[in-house]
Every structure is written in C-alpha cells, then in structure tokens.
C-alpha cells in the first residue's frame, strides 16, 4: 500500500512538472520565427504600429512583426521580446547559445490560402515572429528560413524619454507615442491643454492615439498608463507654439 501511495505521488509530481513546462516555465514560450526586410532591414520600415523610419525612431534593426495572436490589434506595439533559437529541436539551422531582444513594430498578417504548418506561419492561433533579417541571423542560419524558438517578454531599454509626435488638424489630434521603456506598450492615454481638463484618448491604430479637441496655442500635457499599470504624467511636453508634425519629449521615461 505504501509503495502505491508513493507511486501515486510521483505520478502527480511528474504531471505537474510537465504541465509547467508546457505552460512556459520561467516565462519561456515556444514559437517559430522567419525573417523579412532584407539584409539591411530596409523593408521593415513603416509597419502596422506606425513607427515610420525605425532608424530615426530609435528601434533600429532588432525588430519583429508579430502574428495576430501576439500583436493583439496593436496593443503589443513597442513590447520587447527576448528570443533564442531552440537548438535542441533544430541543431541544423539554429545558432547555439545566442539570443536577441527585439521590439514589436509590425503585424505579420495571416495567409489563409496556406496551411498553418506550410506557409501560413502567422495564421491564428500560431505564435510567430517575422523578424528583421539582421536580428534573425543572430539566432538562425540564413538557409534555414524558419526555425523553432523560445521567447519571453522582457523590459525595454530606451535612450531618452517617451516621445510624442502630434499629427492631425485643428480639431483632431493624432498622437504617435514612441520610445516607451519598461513594458514598452501602452494601456491608456489622456491629453490636456492649458485651457482643458484631462481628455481620454482612444487608440486609432498601432501606437497612434486620437482625441477631438481644439488645442492650438496651448501647452499640451499627457497622462500615460503602460500595460504594467504604471502611470506617468508628462507636463507641458509640447509648448504653446507647437505645430502639427512635430515631436516632443521632456525626458520622462518608464522603467
């Protein structure tokens, strides 16, 4: 009887360990990764987050387009992921012992004309990274084309403060928010002029947030809540002589 009890507990423990592994022990999860954009990543500029020129906005070539499952309608824009090739699963095309941290800057759209395991790599519910080629080649061998990877979300390290690019027209502010550190992604935004209260903005697309106010000739402040729940206020980040198309920062940053 005692042996049966011991055996029962052993089975339970093993099952629990396997469940933890499947769920991503230590924060690691399984996915696949391909690459795009060319050897200089020129083809990765723009994208579904709206960051435009990834060199001038500070993201460089360590970027990735996420499958829709990960992209989450743009809510993942700016998030950082540490990715390493799963060498145990594919020792032919993986670079062993290396990892790279990338920023989510684009959407890898689904291709329903192809099966999920043969070309439809970004079809839901797949977790997939279509990485900028220079980033991908840090973990994979070019000829492989697609490799199994392990990934986890990590804190983003940025130089300088959060940046606000104000576009739109007199009664419509479309604000692109870039260079977000810490969690990298944003949950909510409010905007305020010197003659208004706080006004809640809505996500227009990607990392662009909108409001319908007349703020010309007013200093503009922002209240931003990141996806980790941290809220920061950026007081008078834009002076009263701001113009559409300009980018502003006051050095305040998430960590």
């Amino acid at each position: 009887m005692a042996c049966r009890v011991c055996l029962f507990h052993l089975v339970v423990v093993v099952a629990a360990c396997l469940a933890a592994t499947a769920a991503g022990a230590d924060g690691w999860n399984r996915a696949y990764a391909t690459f795009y954009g060319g050897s200089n990543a020129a083809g990765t500029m723009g994208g579904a987050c709206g960051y435009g020129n990834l060199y001038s906005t500070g993201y460089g070539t360590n970027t990735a387009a996420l499958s829709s499952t990960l992209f989450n309608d743009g809510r993942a824009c700016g998030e950082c992921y540490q990715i390493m090739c799963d060498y145990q699963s594919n020792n032919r095309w993986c670079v062993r012992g290396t990892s790279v941290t990338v920023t989510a800057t684009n959407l890898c759209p689904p291709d329903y004309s192809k099966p999920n395991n043969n070309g439809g790599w970004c079809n839901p519910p797949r977790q997939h990274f279509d990485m900028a080629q220079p980033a991908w080649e840090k973990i994979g061998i070019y000829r492989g084309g697609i490799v199994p990877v392990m990934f986890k979300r990590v804190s983003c390290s940025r130089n300088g403060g959060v940046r606000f690019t104000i576009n739109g027209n007199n009664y419509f502010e479309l604000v692109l928010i870039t260079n977000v550190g810490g969690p990298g992604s944003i949950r909510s935004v409010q905007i305020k002029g010197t003659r208004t209260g706080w006004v809640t903005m809505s996500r227009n697309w990607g990392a662009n947030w909108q409001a319908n106010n007349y703020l010309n000739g007013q200093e503009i402040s922002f209240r931003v809540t990141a996806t980790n729940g941290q809220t920061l206020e950026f007081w008078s980040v834009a002076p009263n002589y701001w113009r559409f198309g300009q980018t502003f920062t006051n050095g305040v940053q998430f960590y």
Side-chain angles (χ1 to χ4, degrees):
M1 176 65 73
C3 291
R4 291 181 181 178
V5 172
C6 292
L7 180 60
F8 172 78
H9 285 297
L10 177 61
V11 170
V12 170
V13 170
V14 170
C17 290
L18 291 174
T21 301
D26 299 324
W28 291 98
N29 298 277
R30 296 184 182 277
Y32 282 83
T34 48
F35 61 86
Y36 79 116
S39 60
N40 63 354
T44 65
M45 301 298 116
C49 289
Y51 292 140
N53 187 316
L54 299 178
Y55 295 113
S56 61
T57 48
Y59 297 110
T61 60
N62 282 354
T63 63
L66 276 55
S67 62
S68 57
T69 299
L70 293 171
F71 191 69
N72 196 17
D73 293 325
R75 294 177 181 85
C77 285
E79 292 181 354
C80 295
Y81 297 87
Q82 183 182 358
I83 303 176
M84 62 179 178
C85 203
D86 188 354
Y87 186 83
Q88 291 185 342
S89 297
N90 189 329
N91 60 15
R92 182 180 183 186
W93 302 121
C94 284
V95 176
R96 188 173 189 175
T98 63
S99 69
V100 61
T101 297
V102 299
T103 300
T105 59
N106 201 357
L107 166 69
C108 179
D111 183 353
Y112 295 112
S113 68
K114 298 176 182 178
N116 289 12
N117 62 352
N118 187 18
W121 310 125
C122 292
N123 293 350
R126 290 180 65 97
Q127 296 187 125
H128 190 92
F129 294 87
D130 198 17
M131 300 167 62
Q133 184 176 332
W136 190 91
E137 289 193 278
K138 295 177 181 178
I139 63 168
I141 298 171
Y142 178 84
R143 288 181 59 195
I146 180 172
V147 292
V149 296
M150 303 290 290
F151 76 95
K152 65 179 177 180
R153 189 175 167 189
V154 295
S155 180
C156 299
S157 177
R158 306 291 185 215
N159 294 320
V162 176
R163 302 181 191 132
F164 302 85
T165 302
I166 305 174
N167 296 302
N169 55 53
N170 288 345
Y171 289 92
F172 174 70
E173 295 80 37
L174 184 66
V175 181
L176 172 66
I177 304 178
T178 61
N179 202 51
V180 179
S185 53
I186 295 170
R187 178 184 300 167
S188 64
V189 183
Q190 292 178 297
I191 190 171
K192 182 185 185 307
T194 48
R195 297 191 296 273
T196 74
W198 288 106
V199 176
T200 298
M201 306 186 77
S202 59
R203 188 188 302 274
N204 185 290
W205 65 281
N208 288 277
W209 296 77
Q210 72 173 58
N212 299 289
N213 300 278
Y214 184 81
L215 299 176
N216 295 24
Q218 303 178 55
E219 294 181 355
I220 296 181
S221 303
F222 294 95
R223 179 185 289 159
V224 181
T225 300
T227 49
N228 66 351
Q230 182 184 8
T231 299
L232 294 178
E233 293 181 344
F234 302 79
W235 287 97
S236 302
V237 68
N240 59 10
Y241 50 84
W242 64 270
R243 294 291 183 268
F244 290 108
Q246 294 180 321
T247 300
F248 303 94
T249 183
N250 62 3
V252 177
Q253 184 58 276
F254 291 94
Y255 293 99

